[in-house]
Amino acid sequence: MNSLQNYLLLSSLLFSIGFAGALIRRNAILVLIGIELMLNAANLNFIAFWRYGPAPAALTGIMFTIFSISIAAAEAAVGLGIILAVYRHFRTTDLYHMNSLKG
Amino acid sequence: MILAVLTVAGMASAMGLRNAVHCVLALTLGFTGVAALYLQLDAQFVGLAQIMVYVGAVAILIVFVIMMTHRSEPAAPPNFISLWTVGSVVAAAVFAVLAWAICCSAASTQGLPPQPGVTVQQIGDALMHRFLLPLEIMGLLLTAALIGAVVIAMGHKEDMK
């Protein structure tokens, strides 16, 4: 059951769920959550390949994932800050009403 | 198997529920499931870091932003865009292509190698020697990103009372 193939299938399923959410949701916060899901799927791929790879003692997969989690945290903070600034301007988080770049 | 079902259910309901707060609750379930999958793959440090960063910090941050932007709209807008079938079909096509590539690959059928037994001391050694420069760059980037997020979210002087 727990072969590399199943982990890869699971992470591609998670990626597709996040991708679908980022495509079809109207709330900007939930679009950001979809992007976080895609990053999580990529991290799961890193760990699975590290575990099933030829040299797990080299720790490269773990290092990649740690840095990727840090990047995702920074991205979430900046993204939510941007959403707050946009909300202060447009008074909504609905993406349909954010249709102008200036004004 | 149970973990996979739990993770997928959490993530799918995080993308499918109508109430945004319920979405974040389902999202924490999905993040916890991913952390448990890390533990299952013998990456204990990454699993606990996932719990601390995602469940502990990112989910709380998202809940804060949802609370700050929440309005009781008289007429709640629809949650999905009008072309949601097209988006779902595109995502399903992406999954189909990925699954096809994975199932055709010969590299993904190999068995499990012996347990690596990575300790936190080894991770710290690697971070302090081989990955020292990326670590420093990451610290700089986190500092810049968090200061930038505060500056962006703070707004202009005249907005603040």
Side-chain angles (χ1 to χ4, degrees):
Chain A
M1 169 55 211
N2 287 326
S3 71
L4 175 60
Q5 198 167 13
N6 292 323
Y7 284 108
L8 296 185
L9 279 176
L10 174 65
S11 85
S12 59
L13 184 57
L14 291 182
F15 181 88
S16 306
I17 291 173
F19 185 55
L23 281 183
I24 68 177
R25 291 311 292 247
R26 280 184 66 168
N27 192 335
I29 301 171
L30 292 171
V31 172
L32 196 70
I33 288 178
I35 295 170
E36 292 287 328
L37 290 197
M38 290 195 266
L39 281 166
N40 256 290
N43 288 346
L44 187 58
N45 252 2
F46 275 132
I47 290 292
F49 274 119
W50 164 76
R51 183 67 180 87
Y52 286 87
L59 294 177
T60 44
I62 284 188
M63 289 305 153
F64 250 118
T65 312
I66 288 172
F67 288 126
S68 169
I69 286 177
S70 330
I71 290 283
E75 174 257 335
V78 175
L80 291 171
I82 290 174
I83 288 177
L84 273 184
V86 169
Y87 173 76
R88 193 175 291 119
H89 188 81
F90 286 105
R91 288 284 147 201
T92 181
T93 54
D94 193 345
L95 289 175
Y96 270 20
H97 296 119
M98 302 177 192
N99 47 14
S100 60
L101 278 179
K102 183 182 179 188
Chain B
M1 185 66 198
I2 301 170
L3 283 178
V5 172
L6 194 73
T7 310
V8 170
M11 298 278 187
S13 49
M15 286 288 97
L17 291 177
R18 301 188 72 83
N19 191 333
V21 180
H22 295 171
C23 287
V24 180
L25 288 180
L27 182 75
T28 50
L29 178 70
F31 282 158
T32 316
V34 174
L37 283 171
Y38 290 161
L39 294 183
Q40 199 181 26
L41 282 167
D42 299 312
Q44 286 90 0
F45 185 78
V46 180
L48 296 177
Q50 163 96 2
I51 287 182
M52 276 198 290
V53 173
Y54 277 106
V55 182
V58 172
I60 299 298
L61 205 62
I62 293 173
V63 168
F64 270 129
V65 174
I66 286 176
M67 294 296 175
M68 288 168 80
T69 59
H70 182 70
R71 298 171 72 199
S72 55
E73 280 116 359
N79 276 320
F80 303 101
I81 65 170
S82 49
L83 286 175
W84 67 274
T85 47
V86 179
S88 306
V89 166
V90 168
V94 168
F95 174 68
V97 170
L98 285 174
W100 173 72
I102 289 167
C103 290
C104 288
S105 161
S108 59
T109 54
Q110 60 187 355
L112 187 65
Q115 192 172 356
V118 175
T119 62
V120 179
Q121 186 184 5
Q122 284 173 311
I123 296 175
D125 274 343
L127 275 179
M128 279 299 132
H129 292 112
R130 192 176 161 203
F131 298 97
L132 184 57
L133 185 62
L135 185 73
E136 300 285 340
I137 294 173
M138 186 60 59
L140 194 65
L141 185 132
L142 271 179
T143 312
L146 292 180
I147 292 175
V150 169
V151 168
I152 289 172
M154 196 166 59
H156 297 296
K157 277 276 169 40
E158 59 265 29
D159 289 347
M160 294 187 297
K161 301 293 179 196

